[in-house]
Amino acid sequence: MTPKAYQDGLAGLRAVRDKAKPLERQLAKIQAELEKLYAQRDREVRTLGAYEKAKADRLATSAGVSVIDIVALVPSLGPQGPTEAPTGAVVTQEASEVPEGPEAAAQAIKESEVSPTHDKPTPAADEATETTTNSTVQPATPALAAPAPTPVAAQDSTAAAVPSAPAAGDARELPSIPAGPAGDRWIYTEPNLASKRPNFKQAARQMAFLDTATGTLVWQGGTVRLDLGHASVAEILTAVYATVPADVERIYVTAGDPWHRTAASHQFLKDAVAEWLNGPLPEGWQVESSRGKDRQAGHLVHPRNPVGRWQRGTDQHTEIRSVAEWFDPAGADPATVRAAFVELWKALRHHWDDVVLMGSPSQTGRDLWSRTIPAKTGTKWADGYPVMSQEIRALLHATAGQGRTELISPPRTPERLPGWYEADRTFAYAKHTWMSGVGLPARVTAAAFAAMSEKEQANALFSPSHWHIRVTVPTGWNHVGLLPAPAPGERSWHYPSEGGRTFTTWAGGAEVNLALRNPIQPWTIEILDGLVWEKGDPLKDWSNKLKDAWARLRAQSNLHGDERQRQAAALASRAVRSILLYGIGTFAQRPRITTGSVELGTSGEVPEIPDGARLTSLTDTHVTWERNSGFARDPYAHPEWAAGVWSSARAALLSGPTGAKDPATGKPVRAGALHLPAGSILAFRTDAIYSSVRPDWPYSGEPGDYLLKGAMPWEVAAPTTDAEFYVLQELGRQALEAEGL
């Protein structure tokens, strides 16, 4: 570089600085104004909340925040039930079209729902004084080898329903159901809201598959190679629709990730995605506006799998999506990916004559499930599965975690490990859909639980249920933790294992039973409160059909004579897994985080953003905002089902039966972390166990079986960070693959 070039560069840098400074000042001013308005809003909410007829939902709508936010400001509104529905009432509505996603006003960028991986429960407040009543439960027909009668105490809880957030650095405390009549008023179903079988067929969309790295485009009409330039939105739309007909409404990107092209210049991937989605459009194109109940409008900003939606005129609509929503293409070319979607459709059509592949596996899963709802008059639940009260749904959102993610590091493990092994449960969630809670839950208080007979207590614990409990780890316990506890800081859950430690948490019946009847030593559980549902099987038919489709595709991937078709069938089988996995996730109905982006004015002034939103980023051309939209009135919101599956899967990760029989006892061989030596467990990742000892569990390829996916039978250093863990995970998989060659 010459001195002149260096001086010119400094001048250019100063020009960038001079442009940025006014924007920074504008942003700071806006942030200050927002803080003042938020403070004013909170004061007015508290004032209006004191009115005797105030309603949390009305205040939430007017304030532009969620009901949970209102209740946090005015706790007295928390236990209020709707006057339209008396306690215990089950009210249903007529079936209507199932939307592909929640309707909303169009925004340049819109994120309709928080990813299932983001699990941030609502903070809870200090528990109030409690009165203790002890009771003992004798397992009636225990799931595991029964220990001696296990102490399970029942205890009244008078903790506040929606407490204030804990101080920074303190352990997060979970909410609870208010004591007495205030809590009983939570037990109702939403008026005129139930899951019913749809009376219409989804509209099929024509698809195209595009590798943006090579420009290869495949659709029903053939294969072409396009010149995409830098693969901007404008270049993709122009090149694709100069080739394919306008009725192709969905473009799946199979490779290239064009939305990450500018990732190096952004602190967060989401900002790079937003910049790509907001890029210039060809003449005549615009961001899509609302176009019917089964259509979403605007863009979905996701750091890795975004969705862009555009339209040209009033008749042509298109969306660009990542095929990674469905499966990892693993280097497959667009033609093979398209063949995978064809095979997926064929396998599903064997069970659903009206199957339509929708934009994502979660949308497809929910739609297929809705078509298994009983419809024959007189059949139980033919009037629909009722949706729980918003209070119960919010409680489950805050207290029912998802898959177990834990890294166990020295000194809980040796610094040098004798080996590294990864055992992953095949299609695990499909194993836990045979029973779910249906109807209105019964609240079981501590006093009510104590008054039950031992058989009634066992029946309650083995029913679909969710329990507020105080847990004591046995003295001398030297294995992994069994029950999730609210964690301080950013991590949502951890699993205490120190002998003698006591903590309060919520857990599903499957995990409570596992803690009481584990094969090593029973834990002590005190019942503080609980919700127990009637036993039903709303997911069984749906799950069985998906399992059959999965098995057919797996067999095809092993036996087909054509290599491309074998690969396509394997990818399709993974798509079926995603349909079930993410379909279950949609039942959880997390509070929606809506994001949007608005363009800066011609002079750089920041335009008005929606009420209740906060700024998240500022670029040269756009301001991006984010707003918590709370819980929608979704007829398919059943967090009790998702929570039950997740709880059962976490319990099975510790101990569960396999399909093989023990020749000595004739009973099923059990597998899981508790059947490996203490100190050998290194990590959990949803359905996988990582150990320093090679698991010797039978594998027949059935859902729930453990498949060895990684193995390094030599000494390695124990991982102490997630980065080190993922390095060992990849090395272990490569080593096992090399071993099999």
Side-chain angles (χ1 to χ4, degrees):
M1 178 181 290
T2 64
K4 184 178 185 305
Y6 178 70
Q7 293 299 325
D8 291 344
L10 291 177
L13 193 59
R14 288 193 292 271
V16 172
R17 176 200 64 194
D18 293 341
K19 289 181 180 179
K21 285 297 182 182
L23 294 178
E24 290 175 354
R25 288 193 292 270
Q26 291 177 32
L27 181 59
K29 182 179 179 181
I30 290 172
Q31 292 282 22
E33 289 296 325
L34 278 175
E35 292 303 324
K36 290 179 182 178
L37 290 172
Y38 289 160
Q40 180 184 349
R41 178 196 64 196
D42 293 348
R43 287 194 300 272
E44 293 183 7
V45 165
R46 292 189 184 95
T47 300
L48 294 172
Y51 177 50
E52 60 181 5
K53 295 184 179 180
K55 299 291 184 182
D57 56 346
R58 294 289 301 277
L59 284 171
T61 301
S62 299
V65 297
S66 70
V67 172
I68 299 303
D69 292 330
I70 294 296
V71 175
L73 291 168
V74 190
S76 61
L77 298 179
Q80 298 300 318
T83 57
E84 298 85 354
T87 302
V90 179
V91 189
T92 60
Q93 67 171 4
E94 292 300 315
S96 60
E97 266 190 51
V98 181
E100 190 174 86
E103 291 182 73
Q107 298 289 347
I109 298 179
K110 177 178 182 301
E111 183 164 345
S112 61
E113 193 166 71
V114 177
S115 168
T117 58
H118 296 263
D119 188 12
K120 298 183 179 179
T122 305
D126 298 332
E127 294 184 68
T129 307
E130 300 171 340
T131 305
T132 304
T133 306
N134 291 325
S135 174
T136 301
V137 169
Q138 172 69 46
T141 51
L144 310 184
T150 306
V152 181
Q155 185 166 355
D156 278 329
S157 173
T158 57
V162 186
S164 57
D170 291 348
R172 183 171 49 86
E173 296 181 37
L174 299 177
S176 59
I177 304 174
D184 293 339
R185 286 197 291 270
W186 284 25
I187 312 301
Y188 67 91
T189 55
E190 289 288 351
N192 303 314
L193 196 64
S195 307
K196 287 192 172 187
R197 191 179 187 124
N199 56 6
F200 71 99
K201 182 178 179 179
Q202 293 285 1
R205 315 273 184 90
Q206 293 296 317
M207 308 176 191
F209 300 86
L210 177 65
D211 182 335
T212 60
T214 64
T216 303
L217 176 71
V218 177
W219 83 104
Q220 191 174 19
T223 302
V224 296
R225 183 68 64 87
L226 304 178
D227 180 3
L228 298 178
H230 297 289
S232 67
V233 171
E235 289 167 320
I236 290 175
L237 292 177
T238 299
V240 168
Y241 285 103
T243 306
V244 305
D247 63 356
V248 172
E249 295 189 55
R250 189 172 291 145
I251 302 169
Y252 280 111
V253 173
T254 64
D257 295 346
W259 39 81
H260 290 160
R261 294 288 173 90
T262 62
S265 61
H266 294 279
Q267 185 178 1
F268 302 106
L269 279 179
K270 247 184 173 182
D271 293 337
V273 171
E275 182 180 68
W276 184 81
L277 290 169
N278 280 322
L281 295 174
E283 185 177 354
W285 286 89
Q286 65 183 46
V287 175
E288 186 177 59
S289 58
S290 180
R291 54 184 174 119
K293 289 185 178 180
D294 68 337
R295 313 284 183 112
Q296 276 193 324
H299 305 320
L300 172 73
V301 182
H302 187 279
R304 299 195 180 277
N305 299 319
V307 181
R309 301 181 179 97
W310 297 272
Q311 67 183 66
R312 179 161 58 178
T314 58
D315 298 326
Q316 184 178 355
H317 303 267
T318 192
E319 60 183 17
I320 299 177
R321 313 183 71 112
S322 170
V323 80
E325 291 182 86
W326 292 84
F327 47 73
D328 177 1
D333 58 43
T336 304
V337 172
R338 181 180 182 274
F341 275 79
V342 172
E343 295 304 320
L344 172 64
W345 181 82
K346 289 179 180 178
L348 295 175
R349 194 171 185 274
H350 184 77
H351 295 288
W352 286 278
D353 290 338
D354 55 353
V355 61
V356 171
L357 297 182
M358 302 177 75
S360 70
S362 60
Q363 294 164 355
T364 305
R366 186 175 69 173
D367 183 67
L368 293 179
W369 172 79
S370 72
R371 297 172 193 279
T372 65
I373 299 173
K376 186 177 180 180
T377 303
T379 305
K380 193 169 187 180
W381 309 115
D383 290 332
Y385 293 104
V387 174
M388 299 298 99
S389 69
Q390 180 162 281
E391 291 86 351
I392 294 300
R393 284 182 283 142
L395 180 75
L396 288 167
H397 163 64
T399 60
Q402 299 181 41
R404 181 169 181 168
T405 299
E406 183 180 18
L407 179 63
I408 303 173
S409 303
R412 293 177 61 191
T413 63
E415 293 187 357
R416 302 294 300 179
L417 307 173
W420 171 274
Y421 302 94
E422 176 188 359
D424 184 71
R425 295 185 72 213
T426 298
F427 205 12
Y429 283 5
K431 183 79 171 179
H432 306 292
T433 53
W434 62 276
M435 182 179 72
S436 302
V438 290
L440 191 69
R443 183 186 183 187
V444 180
T445 63
F449 188 86
M452 291 179 176
S453 66
E454 291 179 356
K455 182 177 181 181
E456 289 171 332
Q457 290 178 343
N459 287 341
L461 290 171
F462 277 100
S463 295
S465 51
H466 194 57
W467 299 96
H468 193 199
I469 54 177
R470 178 169 289 111
V471 183
T472 300
V473 183
T475 302
W477 182 265
N478 66 347
H479 219 295
V480 297
L482 304 185
L483 291 165
E490 294 182 0
R491 286 192 177 273
S492 296
W493 304 95
H494 62 168
Y495 296 80
S497 61
E498 302 85 356
R501 178 169 176 176
T502 296
F503 59 94
T504 300
T505 190
W506 284 82
E511 290 170 287
V512 173
N513 277 307
L514 187 280
L516 292 170
R517 299 166 176 82
N518 73 78
I520 299 175
Q521 184 180 2
W523 285 29
T524 300
I525 309 291
E526 299 175 73
I527 299 295
L528 306 177
D529 212 336
L531 297 168
V532 180
W533 282 267
E534 177 185 342
K535 294 179 182 178
D537 57 3
L539 305 179
K540 186 177 179 180
D541 185 32
W542 173 70
S543 176
N544 284 344
K545 290 176 177 178
L546 290 177
K547 283 188 284 188
D548 180 73
W550 172 80
R552 288 169 179 265
L553 289 166
R554 293 248 299 182
Q556 185 177 335
S557 70
N558 292 327
L559 300 175
H560 204 287
D562 181 79
E563 175 60 30
R564 169 168 283 177
Q565 288 302 116
R566 283 201 301 271
Q567 187 180 13
L571 294 177
S573 72
R574 295 174 196 167
V576 174
R577 176 185 177 276
S578 295
I579 287 172
L580 186 136
L581 176 69
Y582 295 118
I584 289 170
T586 63
F587 292 126
Q589 199 228 9
R590 301 295 185 185
R592 295 178 302 160
I593 302 297
T594 302
T595 67
S597 183
V598 287
E599 194 170 358
L600 292 174
T602 55
S603 302
E605 64 272 11
V606 179
E608 185 176 338
I609 63 175
D611 292 340
R614 66 182 184 87
L615 295 180
T616 57
S617 70
L618 176 65
T619 69
D620 291 341
T621 59
H622 287 80
V623 169
T624 303
W625 52 265
E626 182 177 272
R627 179 173 61 182
N628 186 332
S629 300
F631 292 91
R633 275 183 58 84
D634 183 355
Y636 298 100
H638 291 285
E640 67 275 15
W641 299 347
V645 171
W646 294 335
S647 176
S648 297
R650 290 193 301 267
L653 202 59
L654 298 169
S655 180
T658 66
K661 299 287 186 180
D662 186 334
T665 64
K667 296 180 178 179
V669 175
R670 303 193 72 82
L674 295 183
H675 300 278
L676 293 173
S680 68
I681 306 301
L682 309 174
F684 294 98
R685 285 297 185 275
T686 308
D687 300 326
I689 298 171
Y690 298 81
S691 172
S692 60
V693 175
R694 189 181 189 111
D696 187 22
W697 300 324
Y699 181 75
S700 60
E702 292 298 312
D705 285 354
Y706 281 94
L707 172 67
L708 190 67
K709 291 185 67 175
M712 289 189 288
W714 54 79
E715 187 176 284
V716 297
T720 59
T721 65
D722 284 345
E724 293 174 355
F725 164 82
Y726 287 117
V727 168
L728 288 175
Q729 181 192 64
E730 181 62 25
L731 291 175
R733 292 176 180 180
Q734 291 175 2
L736 183 64
E737 184 178 0
E739 180 183 306
L741 293 179

